[in-house]
Amino acid sequence: VPYSDLLQRPAMGSKTNDQLHVFFFPFMAQGHMRPIIDTAKLFISEGTKATIISTSYFTPLLSESIEKVRDLGAQIDILNIRVPTEEVGLPEGVDSIHKTGTPEMQDKFYQACGKLGPQLDQILERHRPDCLVADMFFPWAANVATRFGIPTIIFQGTSYFALCAQTSMFMYEPHKKVSSDSEPFLIPHFPDQIEITGNQAPEFVRYDDGSELPRLFKAIREVEFKTYGVLVNSFYELEPAYADHYPKILGRKAWHIGPVFLYGRGPASNEHECLKWLDSKKPHSVIYVSFGSVATFNDEQLMEIATGLEASGQQFIWVVKKEKQEGVKEEWLPEGFEERTEGKGLILRGWAPQVPILEHEAIGGFVTHCGWNSTLESVCAGVSMVTWPVAAEQFYNEKLVTQILRIGVEVGAKKWKRLVGDFVRREAIEKAVSRVMEGEEAEEIRSRVKGLAEKARNAIKEEGSSMLDLNALFDDLRSARIAHDSSIEPSHQY
């Protein structure tokens, strides 16, 4: 449904005095920014006024994203804040996680973000919105908002499954009850019997090394129990047992409103060369390989991927984060690789139009790091996955994809790595790619994921599960505003 149609629908509570004003505060990373922009646009399509708080680095992306809906009369604004880099020893201008190249710089960036409280305080005091939707990476924001009686909703850009797993690991610490990090254990108090190892859990869960991440994630887990509720970019039919389980263990409301990227989408542009290349291919004949905007691999691993792809015999589109340098031999590619795979394989450097690629009928599989945005995009496109988790909550997402939904196969990554992915050999890559691309198992997987794609589209329709939850959230926020306006003490409500 294009946004022009959404904006022309009768909006919920369209009377001016009933209009909610919601502030959105995304973490400064591409994978966090995109779903919150989509969520803000969804809110305004339902008659809400929205303001997005971010750094100047993301202003061009934000401006471009909201320009069309603004032109259609939507009330949406951008407010800039400045990351206090000098207070933590970072160079000036590091206002996005993508500008931090090492774990040490990342830690300092998280520290600097923890010092944004005074700026947020000034913004909220001046504008007094009805609600603050804060990224999970800003757990301290809830305390700032509470000062003004403003309910805070934490935005969780991952699956209910991963949220349940993280909460269970935090509450029960099963990784401390096994003899080694390679010994499997069951995730306790869980709807399904799921085994994981300490090696696959985030390092900051397993031990506190004094860095910023263990402190941050402890604060994230703790604030979930205290906020007004949690917003989840998922849909009920994808993971019903976990959508039911999560609010129970939290004792807090959770609203599933996803997949947010599906709302208001117009026809995709077909201008990128790779889409024209795909037009010449048969349905389900090309595997797409991409690992998101943060994960990286060393040259040795890239060589294994290239060799594994070639050995599989499958046609491919492979996104790599390396610029081509004229006249310089590329050590990460086998000798003669590009010549041998000409017409059969395409290497894209840097950025790729991921959603249009996945939605193209020529795509038959997706080798992915299991970031939640990528996982949802694959589900919604009806594309099977080869799972290669690297960091964050990606190993949990892998379990959901391969064991609960059975819409993908594991490549065999065994260890959580903060920036550089775990090493996987070419034989494992070849085998996993072949399994999702050809044969009876591949057809069964494809059939299951296509069924989920249809359920995703239904979830965002007028009476769909996600739209109903969104409307329930707006009702809750209006009730909270009425209670607050009746001068009930904020501390008794939120």
Side-chain angles (χ1 to χ4, degrees), residues 64-325:
E64 186 186 338
S65 301
I66 68 174
E67 187 179 5
K68 284 179 186 168
V69 290
R70 252 190 184 161
D71 290 347
L72 292 165
Q75 291 180 283
I76 183 165
D77 294 307
I78 302 165
L79 283 178
N80 275 344
I81 52 168
R82 196 184 69 80
V83 180
T85 49
E86 68 287 346
E87 291 183 34
V88 297
L90 275 176
E92 193 177 342
V94 178
D95 50 3
S96 161
I97 195 73
H98 301 99
K99 293 185 179 180
T100 63
T102 65
E104 293 73 27
M105 283 184 78
Q106 273 194 1
D107 266 1
K108 287 180 178 178
F109 188 76
Y110 294 132
Q111 282 176 30
C113 288
K115 297 178 183 294
L116 289 168
Q119 290 181 69
L120 181 65
D121 189 291
Q122 289 174 359
I123 288 169
L124 295 183
E125 184 172 27
R126 181 180 172 193
H127 295 275
R128 302 290 175 123
D130 295 298
C131 174
L132 173 67
V133 176
D135 193 286
M136 64 171 216
F137 273 52
F138 302 135
W140 48 266
N143 289 333
V144 177
T146 299
R147 278 191 53 214
F148 305 105
I150 298 168
T152 302
I153 294 173
I154 297 293
F155 185 89
Q156 287 284 10
T158 189
S159 60
Y160 274 116
F161 181 95
L163 291 171
C164 290
Q166 288 170 345
T167 306
S168 200
M169 295 284 283
F170 176 70
M171 291 171 71
Y172 304 108
E173 300 185 321
H175 52 288
K176 293 184 177 177
K177 296 163 189 169
V178 289
S179 56
S180 76
D181 280 343
S182 57
E183 184 183 337
F185 55 84
L186 286 171
I187 300 176
H189 303 278
F190 218 54
D192 294 284
Q193 289 208 312
I194 299 293
E195 278 192 339
I196 196 165
T197 66
N199 280 330
Q200 294 173 321
E203 283 176 0
F204 48 79
V205 168
R206 283 180 277 150
Y207 54 86
D208 187 343
D209 59 2
S211 66
E212 192 64 23
L213 270 179
R215 284 194 293 274
L216 178 60
F217 271 80
K218 187 170 184 287
I220 290 168
R221 295 281 76 83
E222 287 171 349
V223 81
E224 282 177 333
F225 293 93
K226 299 173 186 171
T227 58
Y228 190 71
V230 180
L231 213 51
V232 185
N233 184 18
S234 186
F235 60 101
Y236 186 82
E237 293 78 6
L238 184 67
E239 39 179 352
Y242 297 90
D244 290 336
H245 185 64
Y246 183 61
K248 285 177 190 168
I249 53 174
L250 267 193
R252 281 284 176 274
K253 287 186 177 180
W255 301 270
H256 44 82
I257 60 164
V260 294
F261 83 95
L262 279 186
Y263 294 98
R265 290 192 60 218
S269 165
N270 200 29
E271 289 174 7
H272 199 283
E273 282 303 313
C274 69
L275 299 171
K276 294 172 185 170
W277 184 83
L278 283 171
D279 288 341
S280 67
K281 305 299 177 186
K282 291 178 181 172
H284 310 142
S285 66
V286 178
I287 187 112
Y288 172 59
V289 185
S290 178
F291 299 98
S293 55
V294 176
T296 56
F297 292 110
N298 59 28
D299 284 2
E300 188 184 4
Q301 181 65 85
L302 293 174
M303 176 73 80
E304 294 292 307
I305 294 172
T307 313
L309 283 174
E310 189 174 4
S312 75
Q314 300 295 330
Q315 299 182 97
F316 63 87
I317 288 183
W318 179 17
V319 183
V320 294
K321 295 187 183 73
K322 285 183 177 280
E323 295 298 321
K324 194 173 182 74
Q325 294 176 301

Side-chain angles (χ1 to χ4, degrees), residues 341-357:
T341 58
E342 191 173 354
K344 193 171 185 180
L346 202 58
I347 294 176
L348 299 181
R349 294 163 191 268
W351 179 84
Q354 179 158 296
V355 171
I357 289 173

